[in-house]
Amino acid sequence: MPYKILKYFILGAVSFFVCCHPSTDNDTATISTKKKDSNIKYAKRFAISRSKNGTFIYLFGNKTNFDTTATYLIYNDPAVIKNIPKTIIPVKSPCKRIAALSSIYANMFCELGLINNIVAIDNGDYFNNPNIIERLHSNQLLELAKGIELDLEQTIKLNPDIVFTFGMGDPKKDVNPKLILTNIPVAISLDHAEETPLARAEWIKFFAAFVNKNEMADSIFKQVEKKYNELQSLAQKTKTKPTVFTDIKYSDSWYIPGGKSYLAKFLTDAGANYIWKEDLNTGSVPLNFEQVYAKAKNADFWINPSLLKTKKELLGFDSRYIEFNAFKTGAIYNNTKVTNKKGYSTYWETGMIHPDRILHDLILIFHPEIKELIKNDLYYYEQLK
């Protein structure tokens, strides 16, 4: 772990216990025995530190130096938070009424067996999970972000134990100031900032910490990790490395994943040759059509073309797509095998916690010659017809 992260563990622990309590031998012992969770193996955007008085969760939203951008204290005894600094967000453990403002976050709690603890989601249009949909239709769940903005009035009225939302790590910018004033804890997920599939999957440990399901999260992740690594080893033994590119053009730009991105890692682990693998970006890179065509026109495979399911739909966006070799050979695959009525795929809902399934699909697509070694059919992907 980088020095700055370790430094903030020490400073966070010391500042909390010095501010909250008089110095005693017991408190000194607590500080000295305070350790970071060594079970966090891949994720870089959060860390956990545990003691008998509570659990600290640190967010690292600053990509350049990993500075701590938010700190949560999960506690049982209210006396622990009596005089804590305002920079620390207290959360009573365990959270029993959860607002999960993403299908990804909601699915995390489903994996942990806590679907009944979810009292609100963002927008039901994005969900495939039949149990979530049933609870929504039976008015056991509220939709708090059907539009662009969070329904603040409904959120305050609901008064959940915690709200999980998307952000960049800075509560002052990521959370509505009026919501902050309500004292409803808001936890910001930075899973999207991770750069590897297993790092994103490990965020189940982040969510589990708020609901006291740490052992279950560890068990789930270990199974995913084992399957992922076994598949990766299998793919690396293949003799061919087919070339691949992704996505489609929107307006004037074609956003391709950077060579150090989450998706680029998937492609490499699946035994493919991503044609922008030498790029050093971790996020998306905007290119024009000509730039993509020059490099991708002869590529073997084309994956993830938006929400499209047919080659006809693809040409409806731009007739020039017909010139790509992957179009001519039919080697175009999208993660649209299972979608809801709005066209949203379960890939986005469950793929984060099950990157082994995504890797499984990509290996089957790129290396059909080893299909007999992989027992299951495609989970998420289908070929455009």
Side-chain angles (χ1 to χ4, degrees):
M1 179 172 283
Y3 167 76
K4 277 186 177 265
I5 293 181
L6 180 59
K7 178 185 74 173
Y8 276 92
F9 271 118
I10 297 172
L11 291 178
V14 172
S15 65
F16 169 71
F17 286 100
V18 168
C19 290
C20 290
H21 305 284
S23 178
T24 66
D25 290 340
N26 183 55
D27 284 335
T28 303
T30 301
I31 296 171
S32 65
T33 57
K34 197 170 188 57
K35 297 181 180 179
K36 69 180 180 64
D37 190 335
S38 60
N39 286 331
I40 308 299
K41 296 175 62 176
Y42 302 92
K44 296 180 180 180
R45 295 297 162 196
F46 80 96
I48 298 175
S49 179
R50 306 180 192 278
S51 78
K52 66 178 183 180
N53 285 339
T55 298
F56 283 97
I57 300 181
Y58 302 88
L59 288 186
F60 309 116
N62 193 326
K63 283 193 172 186
T64 58
N65 58 16
F66 289 90
D67 279 349
T68 302
T69 49
T71 304
Y72 303 90
L73 171 60
I74 303 173
Y75 68 93
N76 291 304
D77 182 1
V80 171
I81 65 165
K82 188 175 181 180
N83 297 305
I84 63 171
K86 292 182 180 180
T87 54
I88 296 176
I89 302 169
V91 182
K92 182 72 170 65
S93 174
C95 297
K96 296 180 179 180
R97 302 178 69 254
I98 298 164
L101 304 185
S102 166
S103 61
I104 294 174
Y105 313 154
N107 186 69
M108 289 291 188
F109 294 109
C110 291
E111 290 279 340
L112 294 168
L114 297 175
I115 187 172
N116 291 333
N117 290 49
I118 304 171
V119 296
I121 57 175
D122 55 338
N123 186 336
D125 290 349
Y126 302 132
F127 284 78
N128 284 269
N129 186 313
N131 296 319
I132 290 287
I133 295 171
E134 180 182 351
R135 285 175 59 79
L136 180 62
H137 290 166
S138 60
N139 296 319
Q140 297 178 69
L141 287 175
L142 286 181
E143 292 176 291
L144 296 179
K146 192 70 174 178
I148 298 176
E149 298 292 333
L150 176 71
D151 188 329
L152 187 61
E153 183 179 346
Q154 281 280 63
T155 304
I156 294 173
K157 183 178 179 180
L158 181 65
N159 193 30
D161 294 336
I162 193 165
V163 175
F164 288 91
T165 188
F166 172 92
M168 299 308 295
D170 185 349
K172 294 180 180 178
K173 297 179 180 179
D174 293 331
V175 183
N176 187 315
K178 293 182 180 179
L179 183 58
I180 294 177
L181 293 175
T182 67
N183 292 321
I184 298 173
V186 180
I188 302 166
S189 179
L190 299 176
D191 63 276
H192 55 278
E194 300 289 356
E195 297 170 13
T196 70
L198 287 177
R200 288 197 74 184
E202 197 166 27
W203 273 75
I204 193 170
K205 299 177 183 179
F206 170 86
F207 294 94
F210 292 90
V211 291
N212 197 24
K213 289 286 186 177
N214 305 304
E215 291 184 4
M216 180 179 288
D218 289 345
S219 177
I220 292 171
F221 180 74
K222 284 178 181 178
Q223 293 178 40
V224 169
E225 179 189 30
K226 181 176 183 293
K227 292 176 184 177
Y228 190 98
N229 288 334
E230 288 174 350
L231 286 166
Q232 180 187 7
S233 296
L234 186 63
Q236 299 313 304
K237 295 176 182 178
T238 56
K239 296 180 180 180
T240 60
K241 304 294 180 187
T243 52
V244 60
F245 69 105
T246 75
D247 297 278
I248 63 172
K249 183 173 70 69
Y250 290 99
S251 187
D252 296 327
S253 296
W254 192 318
Y255 290 90
I256 60 101
K260 302 300 180 183
S261 67
Y262 165 81
L263 183 56
K265 176 64 173 171
F266 258 132
L267 299 176
T268 299
D269 289 350
N273 180 13
Y274 179 45
I275 59 177
W276 275 280
K277 65 182 179 182
E278 303 300 329
D279 178 85
L280 299 179
N281 289 284
T282 58
S284 297
V285 180
L287 301 175
N288 60 41
F289 183 94
E290 289 72 20
Q291 288 174 303
V292 175
Y293 180 72
K295 198 161 185 174
K297 61 181 178 181
N298 294 320
D300 299 309
F301 289 93
W302 185 354
I303 67 166
N304 299 351
S306 187
L307 301 178
L308 308 181
K309 298 172 74 75
T310 69
K311 295 169 73 175
K312 182 178 180 180
E313 287 179 306
L314 189 57
L315 290 181
F317 277 81
D318 196 315
S319 61
R320 294 175 294 177
Y321 290 145
I322 199 172
E323 299 299 327
F324 287 87
N325 178 66
F327 188 98
K328 296 175 182 177
T329 62
I332 310 175
Y333 291 82
N334 206 0
N335 48 49
T336 53
K337 182 177 180 179
V338 181
T339 60
N340 63 19
K341 294 179 180 180
K342 298 290 185 178
Y344 293 103
S345 172
T346 187
Y347 170 95
W348 304 106
E349 195 169 348
T350 64
M352 175 181 155
I353 183 54
H354 290 292
D356 53 305
R357 295 176 184 174
I358 297 176
L359 185 63
H360 161 279
D361 281 11
L362 294 175
I363 293 173
L364 280 182
I365 291 168
F366 301 143
H367 300 287
E369 71 275 11
I370 62 171
K371 183 175 182 179
E372 67 276 6
L373 300 178
I374 302 178
K375 298 179 181 179
N376 296 311
D377 292 327
L378 295 172
Y379 288 102
Y380 302 116
Y381 279 84
E382 63 180 348
Q383 187 174 15
L384 266 67
K385 302 297 185 182

